[in-house]
Amino acid sequence: MAWFKRQEKGITTATEDKMDVPKGLWYKSPTGKIIDADELARNLFVSPEDDFHVRIGSATYFEILFDNNEFVELDKNMTSKDPLHFVDTKKYAERLKDVMEKTHLKDAVRTGVGKSKGKELVICCMDFAFIGGSMGAVVGEKIARGIDHAIKNKLPFVMISKSGGARMMEAAYSLMQLAKTSVKLAQLAEAKLPYISLCTDPTTGGTTASYAMLGDINISEPGALIGFAGPRVVRDTTGKDLPEGFQTAEFLLEHGFLDFITPRKELKDKINLYIDLIQNNPIR
């Protein structure tokens, strides 16, 4: 068994030649379950051990929902400006530049148009990686244009929310997007076109106070955090202890704020089922 013993002393390996264990081979869920990263990806980033839904971005949602991941992206080069010349720990303009380089995204929402189960629809999907999925002027404008495209082409509209709320670096410009998107959804309703709202983890702040809760059918992924203000703020404001599981998708379903909780594996089938039912079309 000599191959288990070092026969010579003083053998060293240069630092640049040392092999590190590749990162990302395993994922640990909040319940402590360890999952192989490749298996997690094959399972649509849902832990097979405890059904925990890992946060994913627009690229993965589009891959799940569009047939063969084929779609046309609308307004893909639209970017935010800095009209207030806002500065906190760094300049807003610098923050935008850094996050665009890091995420390879232009802003916190993307709009795709393509076929799902053979029929065309418009999907707007938020990306939490871009400044916490915060809703600024570009987010509101891209959602508004997505709705306009749906109305013009008589297509169903799907909104996938994942946001920390309004982007306060844009102050009132950000808050204006609540009214803007709500008005556009009213126009979509007048056109008698379906609107399916999917709330994912987390859906909070101005997003919840506007388009996220205005769907013809409001659905969520299991375990998603959904609310307006955080639990601490609500507790301090009301002076009362909060119920167990407050602001989880399951709590909101029980209290009538959601229509359904839909696991990620069923999203494509369920969203198209709801659209067919609303439009009184044959079930695909």
Side-chain angles (χ1 to χ4, degrees):
M1 302 296 291
W3 54 84
F4 289 132
K5 297 180 181 179
R6 174 162 287 184
Q7 299 297 310
E8 299 180 28
K9 296 182 179 181
I11 297 176
T12 59
T13 303
T15 302
E16 61 269 19
D17 294 331
K18 292 182 179 178
M19 300 292 289
D20 291 327
V21 177
K23 294 181 180 180
L25 291 179
W26 303 94
Y27 177 83
K28 184 176 182 180
S29 77
T31 60
K33 302 295 184 180
I34 306 297
I35 308 103
D36 177 75
D38 289 337
E39 181 183 359
L40 187 68
R42 288 193 297 271
N43 205 43
L44 304 183
F45 295 92
V46 177
S47 167
E49 299 288 337
D50 55 10
D51 200 39
F52 177 76
H53 283 53
V54 179
R55 289 179 185 172
I56 57 175
S58 58
T60 308
Y61 278 114
F62 287 164
E63 186 176 357
I64 292 170
L65 295 174
F66 286 123
D67 295 343
N68 303 315
N69 197 25
E70 295 176 355
F71 63 94
V72 175
E73 185 173 352
L74 304 181
D75 308 302
K76 63 181 180 180
N77 292 318
M78 188 182 295
T79 57
S80 292
K81 303 300 181 184
D82 184 18
L84 304 178
H85 305 290
F86 188 90
V87 179
D88 48 20
T89 54
K90 64 164 46 173
K91 293 180 180 179
Y92 179 43
E94 292 179 3
R95 191 181 299 277
L96 287 170
K97 181 181 177 182
D98 291 346
V99 74
M100 281 190 276
E101 290 177 354
K102 181 179 179 180
T103 63
H104 304 293
L105 297 168
K106 296 296 185 180
D107 215 285
V109 73
R110 294 173 66 209
T111 306
V113 182
K115 290 184 178 180
S116 184
K117 298 195 76 172
K119 289 190 176 180
E120 202 167 51
L121 78 168
V122 179
I123 302 175
C124 281
C125 183
M126 304 190 75
D127 281 287
F128 195 78
F130 197 99
I131 315 182
S134 51
M135 180 175 54
V138 164
V139 169
E141 180 65 16
K142 290 184 76 171
I143 293 172
R145 292 190 185 192
I147 297 170
D148 283 341
H149 185 89
I151 294 172
K152 180 180 178 181
N153 296 278
K154 295 181 172 55
L155 301 175
F157 180 73
V158 176
M159 183 73 224
I160 303 175
S161 299
K162 188 186 296 285
S163 173
R167 187 177 302 174
M168 295 316 298
M169 290 83 92
E170 297 184 19
Y173 289 101
S174 175
L175 298 177
M176 288 175 185
Q177 308 314 309
L178 281 72
K180 179 177 182 176
T181 52
S182 298
V183 167
K184 284 296 178 182
L185 288 171
Q187 293 174 357
L188 187 76
E190 289 176 1
K192 301 186 184 304
L193 294 167
Y195 169 38
I196 309 299
S197 175
L198 169 61
C199 299
T200 66
D201 183 65
T203 299
T204 59
T207 302
T208 310
S210 56
Y211 50 82
M213 286 295 169
L214 294 178
D216 297 316
I217 296 180
N218 296 323
I219 62 178
S220 173
E221 291 183 336
L225 170 67
I226 305 169
F228 182 67
R232 179 185 58 80
V233 174
V234 176
R235 188 184 298 109
D236 291 346
T237 302
T238 62
K240 296 181 180 180
D241 291 331
L242 303 175
E244 185 177 352
F246 176 67
Q247 294 185 326
T248 61
E250 290 72 16
F251 184 91
L252 295 182
L253 177 66
E254 183 180 345
H255 289 79
F257 282 84
L258 291 174
D259 296 301
F260 302 102
I261 292 176
T262 305
R264 195 170 288 162
K265 286 183 177 180
E266 300 176 14
L267 275 180
K268 187 172 184 176
D269 288 338
K270 293 295 185 182
I271 286 175
N272 284 289
L273 170 64
Y274 303 146
I275 291 172
D276 289 339
L277 291 172
I278 291 171
Q279 295 187 311
N280 198 27
N281 288 333
I283 305 300
R284 284 168 285 167

